[in-house]
Amino acid sequence: MKDDVVIVGAGASGAAAAWKLASAGLRVTCLEQGGWVDPADTPSLRPDWEIARQTTHHPNPNVRQGPADYPVDDSEAAIKPFLYNAVGGSTILWGAHFPRFRPSDFRVRTLDGVADDWPISYEDLAPWYEENDRIMGVAGLSGDPGNPPRGPRQMPPVPPGVAATRMARAFDRLGWHWWPCDVAINTESYGEGRGACNNCGPCDLGCPQGARSATDVSYWPMALRAGVRLITGARVFEVETDAQGRATGVAYLDAAGQVQRHRAAVVALAANGLGTARLMLLSRSKRFPEGIANDTGLVGRRLMHHPTGMVTGTFADAVEGWRGPFAVSILCQEFYETDPTRDFVRGYQMQLIRSDGPVGTAVGGYLPRVPWGPGHHARFRQVFGHTASLTVTTEDLPRDDNRVTLSATLTDANGIPAPKMTYSLDDNTRRMIEHGIARATEAFTEAGAVDITPQRLVANAGFHLLGTACMGADPGASVVDARSRAHAVPNLVILDGSVFTTAAALNPTSTIQALALRAADLLIRDRKGIEVAA
Amino acid sequence: MSAALLLDTLLPGDEAFPPGHVVAEALAAHDRFGPALERILALLPEDFASQPPEARVTTLAAIEATHSEAFSALVLAAYSLYYTHPKVAAVLEASTGYRAGPPQPGGHALAPFDPALLAIPAVRAPLYRPTPEAET
Ligand SMILES: Cc1cc2nc3c(=O)[nH]c(=O)nc-3n(C[C@H](O)[C@H](O)[C@H](O)COP(=O)(O)OP(=O)(O)OC[C@H]3O[C@@H](n4cnc5c(N)ncnc54)[C@H](O)[C@@H]3O)c2cc1C
């Protein structure tokens, strides 16, 4: 019997939608190219955990080269791709910083005359943000004047630690906004069998406490109970269509490398902004010679990241930045909205990052690598455990020439063309980063840092892959409609960050998941009327 | 021999930290990192071992300038093994208060969040921008 929905990708968005659809009684299969990651196998239980970070657990698939990974041609990309391929998707490695977009993020054309408005508003999405928060479990505090009111957070915020407390006081003296981050990390037991954070630090290596809410431990147990059939080791290489261009299902290679076909009334793509664009471009047919639902040529275009500058302050005393979830404590949104007195449009957030372990400190990241040779040990002592960093996470406006295409030369282990990212920064972004570097420097100076080091662009920060199948009301200028359904293929739904019309300047996953839940609810509502293949 | 000297030039050691050669064997045998060492060893001049220490620094700086990617790979490899070596971990623990070894399952105490910290930001006026929807 044919499924109601087949979902490609079991990450942040695929898991959320799978649970919702199956809970409404739909027959759902999810195909995932990776396997399960056992939280008890995390390298943070081993002495070589920092080596794993540089090798087997590196966020860049080109460095990691795991069996489920596909290579990415990033030779023409100023920002390198970071993602993970497994049940849980990139949330297996994520930092769990969980902000919502602001209302203005959905209205940049109306408010600022740039890019495009989303066809939905913050208010439209708000109920699904709330639902997703409840399932992921959010530690934080409502009452942030930087954002619209929201329901009580499920748990109290993570403690900020020495450096963030110091920076918070500096922000106060400067009269700038700051607030404890919303984070998808348990500060108390929450969810099914998920314990509280024990402040260990490297969330990116996995969490044996289950405190960090990756979707393998939050949504997936519920989704499986609701009846979702999850097939791992399944690499989808085509969305198949009938002569009218309606989706009939997908073709994939199973774990043994055999071609399989899976038919469904609705095909939903949740392979992230890179993987979904790749799959759509791979899915060529007579009706769609340039890739499925690509009548406009927009599939793969408008690739957005969050180009990030970084400023690191070194304090004379130790701030023990190795304690606590590395990516989250407080954020500052003082410079988030457009200000006509500045030389750029839109804005940025500053997110406080704690510091690193000894290997991370020595090889560099937040600071340049500690130089080898005679001065090495003295410099290491100066910086290890003495630093904190502020990101300058900017809004990236969409451009057609920033894009995902299929590589002409590179293929994955199955011979399927790899995606190629072509990406550069525009002048608006560069000016925004400069502004942010100056402000972050001011904040560290106010906080008493003895040394302040800026990075103008963190190349290793391609965590947020967005916009490659953009949402819009106009079928001639967008790929999906306000319900996340392809304009050109009525039974093709896109669940991941590909649909972002614009990127905001905030970590996207709570928005990706809220959109996926909304798309699923609208599918449940409309399913009798959706035109499907015979 | 050259590997040990090469590593000692990168990480000379001091009164507390051991010299880099403590990781020479592990580096040569490492499946991911070993090739990085081999590549740079192959670029060393024949007289590297007999050069005085300052000259070795100059030699390596010249290799770094011409083969920056390969050299960076070696530095990454050497630092990764060095800073996870038990002798180095012991120095870190003794001198910095850092607890070397796996972060889990021990972790660190999770102090409660102190809401008093928010006295100033909590009373600020809303600073997100109104949109047409919010006004209706
Ligand atoms: C190191 C790191 C830190 C991050 N930190 C944060 C953070 O703090 N806050 C935040 O908001 N976001 C963060 N992110 C980003 C976040 O993880 C992503 O936004 C989110 O996971 C995207 O969800 P998704 O469902 O679109 O894709 P993913 O979660 O990436 O899932 C996509 C899944 O699809 C599968 N797939 C792809 N192609 C195919 C195919 N052809 N066949 C079968 N399966 C396929 C993949 O294997 C993968 O499992 C971070 C990411 C990384 C890598």
Short mmCIF file of all heavy atoms in Angstrom, two decimals, chain A residues 358-384:
data_model
loop_
_atom_site.label_atom_id
_atom_site.label_comp_id
_atom_site.label_asym_id
_atom_site.label_seq_id
_atom_site.Cartn_x
_atom_site.Cartn_y
_atom_site.Cartn_z
N PRO A 358 41.89 22.64 25.68
CA PRO A 358 43.28 22.93 25.32
C PRO A 358 43.59 22.77 23.83
O PRO A 358 44.27 23.63 23.25
CB PRO A 358 44.09 21.93 26.14
CG PRO A 358 43.17 21.29 27.10
CD PRO A 358 41.76 21.62 26.73
N VAL A 359 43.08 21.71 23.19
CA VAL A 359 43.38 21.55 21.76
C VAL A 359 42.72 22.68 20.98
O VAL A 359 43.36 23.33 20.14
CB VAL A 359 42.87 20.18 21.23
CG1 VAL A 359 43.05 20.10 19.72
CG2 VAL A 359 43.60 19.03 21.91
N GLY A 360 41.45 22.94 21.27
CA GLY A 360 40.73 24.00 20.56
C GLY A 360 41.42 25.34 20.73
O GLY A 360 41.50 26.13 19.78
N THR A 361 41.94 25.60 21.92
CA THR A 361 42.65 26.85 22.16
C THR A 361 43.92 26.90 21.31
O THR A 361 44.21 27.91 20.66
CB THR A 361 43.03 26.99 23.65
OG1 THR A 361 41.82 26.92 24.41
CG2 THR A 361 43.75 28.29 23.93
N ALA A 362 44.67 25.80 21.30
CA ALA A 362 45.96 25.80 20.59
C ALA A 362 45.77 25.88 19.08
O ALA A 362 46.45 26.65 18.40
CB ALA A 362 46.75 24.55 20.97
N VAL A 363 44.82 25.10 18.54
CA VAL A 363 44.69 25.10 17.08
C VAL A 363 43.94 26.34 16.58
O VAL A 363 44.00 26.67 15.40
CB VAL A 363 44.00 23.83 16.53
CG1 VAL A 363 44.74 22.57 16.94
CG2 VAL A 363 42.54 23.75 16.92
N GLY A 364 43.26 27.02 17.49
CA GLY A 364 42.62 28.28 17.11
C GLY A 364 41.22 28.06 16.58
O GLY A 364 40.80 26.95 16.26
N GLY A 365 40.50 29.15 16.51
CA GLY A 365 39.10 29.12 16.09
C GLY A 365 38.53 30.47 16.48
O GLY A 365 38.34 31.35 15.67
N TYR A 366 38.37 30.64 17.78
CA TYR A 366 37.93 31.94 18.27
C TYR A 366 39.08 32.95 18.15
O TYR A 366 38.88 34.11 17.84
CB TYR A 366 37.46 31.84 19.72
CG TYR A 366 36.40 30.77 19.93
CD1 TYR A 366 36.42 29.95 21.04
CD2 TYR A 366 35.38 30.58 18.99
CE1 TYR A 366 35.44 28.98 21.23
CE2 TYR A 366 34.41 29.61 19.16
CZ TYR A 366 34.45 28.80 20.29
OH TYR A 366 33.50 27.84 20.47
N LEU A 367 40.27 32.49 18.44
CA LEU A 367 41.49 33.28 18.26
C LEU A 367 42.31 32.61 17.17
O LEU A 367 42.12 31.43 16.89
CB LEU A 367 42.31 33.30 19.55
CG LEU A 367 41.86 34.25 20.66
CD1 LEU A 367 42.70 34.01 21.90
CD2 LEU A 367 41.99 35.70 20.21
N PRO A 368 43.27 33.32 16.58
CA PRO A 368 44.17 32.63 15.66
C PRO A 368 44.92 31.51 16.39
O PRO A 368 45.02 31.52 17.62
CB PRO A 368 45.14 33.73 15.23
CG PRO A 368 44.49 35.01 15.59
CD PRO A 368 43.56 34.74 16.72
N ARG A 369 45.43 30.57 15.62
CA ARG A 369 46.21 29.47 16.20
C ARG A 369 47.33 30.01 17.09
O ARG A 369 47.94 31.03 16.77
CB ARG A 369 46.81 28.69 15.01
CG ARG A 369 47.49 27.43 15.39
CD ARG A 369 47.94 26.70 14.13
NE ARG A 369 49.13 27.31 13.56
CZ ARG A 369 49.53 27.11 12.31
NH1 ARG A 369 48.85 26.35 11.49
NH2 ARG A 369 50.63 27.68 11.86
N VAL A 370 47.58 29.35 18.20
CA VAL A 370 48.72 29.76 19.04
C VAL A 370 49.99 29.45 18.24
O VAL A 370 50.17 28.32 17.79
CB VAL A 370 48.71 28.98 20.38
CG1 VAL A 370 49.95 29.34 21.20
CG2 VAL A 370 47.44 29.30 21.17
N PRO A 371 50.87 30.44 18.03
CA PRO A 371 52.02 30.21 17.16
C PRO A 371 52.90 29.07 17.68
O PRO A 371 53.06 28.91 18.88
CB PRO A 371 52.79 31.54 17.21
CG PRO A 371 51.85 32.53 17.78
CD PRO A 371 50.84 31.79 18.60
N TRP A 372 53.45 28.29 16.77
CA TRP A 372 54.40 27.26 17.17
C TRP A 372 55.75 27.93 17.44
O TRP A 372 55.97 29.07 17.05
CB TRP A 372 54.51 26.17 16.08
CG TRP A 372 54.92 26.68 14.72
CD1 TRP A 372 54.08 27.09 13.73
CD2 TRP A 372 56.25 26.85 14.23
NE1 TRP A 372 54.79 27.51 12.64
CE2 TRP A 372 56.14 27.37 12.92
CE3 TRP A 372 57.52 26.63 14.76
CZ2 TRP A 372 57.26 27.66 12.13
CZ3 TRP A 372 58.64 26.92 13.97
CH2 TRP A 372 58.50 27.43 12.67
N GLY A 373 56.64 27.20 18.09
CA GLY A 373 57.99 27.72 18.28
C GLY A 373 58.21 28.29 19.66
O GLY A 373 57.42 28.05 20.58
N PRO A 374 59.24 29.09 19.79
CA PRO A 374 59.70 29.51 21.12
C PRO A 374 58.63 30.16 22.01
O PRO A 374 58.60 29.94 23.19
CB PRO A 374 60.83 30.50 20.81
CG PRO A 374 61.29 30.16 19.44
CD PRO A 374 60.11 29.57 18.71
N GLY A 375 57.73 30.95 21.44
CA GLY A 375 56.77 31.65 22.31
C GLY A 375 55.51 30.85 22.60
O GLY A 375 54.59 31.34 23.26
N HIS A 376 55.46 29.62 22.13
CA HIS A 376 54.19 28.87 22.16
C HIS A 376 53.59 28.74 23.56
O HIS A 376 52.42 29.07 23.78
CB HIS A 376 54.37 27.47 21.55
CG HIS A 376 53.12 26.66 21.61
ND1 HIS A 376 52.14 26.73 20.64
CD2 HIS A 376 52.63 25.81 22.56
CE1 HIS A 376 51.13 25.95 20.98
NE2 HIS A 376 51.40 25.37 22.13
N HIS A 377 54.39 28.26 24.49
CA HIS A 377 53.81 27.92 25.80
C HIS A 377 53.36 29.17 26.57
O HIS A 377 52.33 29.15 27.24
CB HIS A 377 54.79 27.07 26.61
CG HIS A 377 55.17 25.81 25.89
ND1 HIS A 377 54.28 24.77 25.68
CD2 HIS A 377 56.31 25.43 25.26
CE1 HIS A 377 54.87 23.81 24.99
NE2 HIS A 377 56.11 24.19 24.72
N ALA A 378 54.13 30.23 26.42
CA ALA A 378 53.75 31.47 27.12
C ALA A 378 52.42 32.00 26.58
O ALA A 378 51.52 32.40 27.33
CB ALA A 378 54.85 32.52 26.94
N ARG A 379 52.28 31.99 25.25
CA ARG A 379 51.04 32.47 24.65
C ARG A 379 49.86 31.57 25.04
O ARG A 379 48.76 32.05 25.35
CB ARG A 379 51.19 32.51 23.12
CG ARG A 379 49.93 32.86 22.36
CD ARG A 379 49.50 34.30 22.58
NE ARG A 379 48.25 34.60 21.89
CZ ARG A 379 47.43 35.59 22.20
NH1 ARG A 379 47.73 36.41 23.20
NH2 ARG A 379 46.34 35.81 21.52
N PHE A 380 50.10 30.28 25.05
CA PHE A 380 49.03 29.35 25.43
C PHE A 380 48.54 29.67 26.84
O PHE A 380 47.33 29.74 27.10
CB PHE A 380 49.51 27.89 25.34
CG PHE A 380 48.46 26.90 25.73
CD1 PHE A 380 47.53 26.44 24.80
CD2 PHE A 380 48.36 26.45 27.04
CE1 PHE A 380 46.53 25.56 25.17
CE2 PHE A 380 47.36 25.57 27.42
CZ PHE A 380 46.44 25.12 26.47
N ARG A 381 49.48 29.88 27.75
CA ARG A 381 49.09 30.18 29.15
C ARG A 381 48.25 31.46 29.23
O ARG A 381 47.33 31.56 30.02
CB ARG A 381 50.33 30.36 30.01
CG ARG A 381 50.97 29.06 30.42
CD ARG A 381 51.97 29.31 31.56
NE ARG A 381 52.56 28.07 31.98
CZ ARG A 381 53.63 27.53 31.40
NH1 ARG A 381 54.23 28.14 30.38
NH2 ARG A 381 54.10 26.37 31.84
N GLN A 382 48.63 32.43 28.39
CA GLN A 382 47.93 33.72 28.41
C GLN A 382 46.45 33.58 28.03
O GLN A 382 45.59 34.24 28.59
CB GLN A 382 48.57 34.60 27.33
CG GLN A 382 48.89 35.98 27.71
CD GLN A 382 49.73 36.58 26.58
OE1 GLN A 382 49.54 36.28 25.40
NE2 GLN A 382 50.68 37.43 26.96
N VAL A 383 46.19 32.71 27.06
CA VAL A 383 44.82 32.67 26.52
C VAL A 383 43.97 31.52 27.04
O VAL A 383 42.73 31.65 27.11
CB VAL A 383 44.81 32.66 24.97
CG1 VAL A 383 45.30 33.99 24.43
CG2 VAL A 383 45.63 31.51 24.39
N PHE A 384 44.57 30.41 27.41
CA PHE A 384 43.76 29.24 27.76
C PHE A 384 42.89 29.53 28.99
O PHE A 384 43.39 29.85 30.06
CB PHE A 384 44.65 28.02 28.01
CG PHE A 384 43.86 26.82 28.47
CD1 PHE A 384 42.89 26.27 27.65
CD2 PHE A 384 44.08 26.25 29.72
CE1 PHE A 384 42.13 25.18 28.06
CE2 PHE A 384 43.33 25.16 30.14
CZ PHE A 384 42.35 24.62 29.31
#
